[in-house]
Amino acid sequence: MEALNMEYTIHPISLVVIRRNKWCLLYPPSIQYQVDEEVWLPVNIWVLKGGGNTILVDTGLVAQEARSVRKPKAKNVVGFVEGLRKIGVEIEDIDMVLMTHLHYDHVMHLPLLKNVPVVVQEDEVRFARERHPVYGYAYNDKVQEIISNTKFTY
């Protein structure tokens, strides 16, 4: 409960931008709402600092990985380590990684954080390992390799 009284600063870092059709922002994406307009979508990570802790939310990806998954146009904005350094954080400073989910665009830098506790919902790990056909691309072989080599805390 004490954490609720602490002040945190939130630092967003855009690692990559992906060019996608605007209709992909709708849920569920419906053919009736398709528009022929593309937008650049950022792939962000966040660093939370407060109470003497540095918490990383998600780890992002690199443009090459995005292009290999769904073939979108993608370009790097800043490298993972460089992005952290721009806000005064080194990998060794990170106390915890909090994963929102385990899609390819969220996990690609987990291997750089070997000794850092990684928190994620247990159901998400199970879902990622089962690779539902609709979401198979998001939990591809590279993701499977990363999650099989990551010790998660639930």
Side-chain angles (χ1 to χ4, degrees), residues 40-147:
W40 285 104
L41 302 175
V43 176
N44 295 328
I45 61 174
W46 295 269
V47 174
L48 286 65
K49 291 182 182 181
N53 294 305
T54 300
I55 301 167
L56 176 63
V57 179
D58 292 333
T59 68
L61 80 161
V62 294
Q64 176 184 351
E65 199 64 44
R67 290 190 293 268
S68 74
V69 173
R70 297 192 83 186
K71 310 293 187 233
K73 299 170 190 162
K75 55 186 176 182
N76 294 315
V77 174
V78 67
F80 179 72
V81 173
E82 179 187 354
L84 292 173
R85 286 183 176 155
K86 282 186 174 188
I87 60 164
V89 174
E90 296 291 332
I91 288 178
E92 300 77 29
D93 300 333
I94 298 171
D95 299 301
M96 178 175 72
V97 178
L98 176 62
M99 299 301 301
T100 59
H101 57 286
L102 300 174
H103 284 182
Y104 74 97
D105 56 334
H106 293 250
V107 304
M108 289 300 159
H109 294 103
L110 271 175
L112 299 176
L113 301 153
K114 294 200 182 302
N115 298 316
V116 180
V118 179
V119 178
V120 67
Q121 295 179 57
E122 187 173 8
D123 285 344
E124 174 61 12
V125 175
R126 190 173 15 263
F127 190 78
R129 288 183 174 143
E130 291 173 2
R131 294 176 78 171
H132 187 281
V134 173
Y135 299 103
Y137 74 91
Y139 301 107
N140 62 30
D141 291 343
K142 181 75 172 175
V143 171
Q144 296 303 314
E145 178 185 335
I146 290 169
I147 66 174

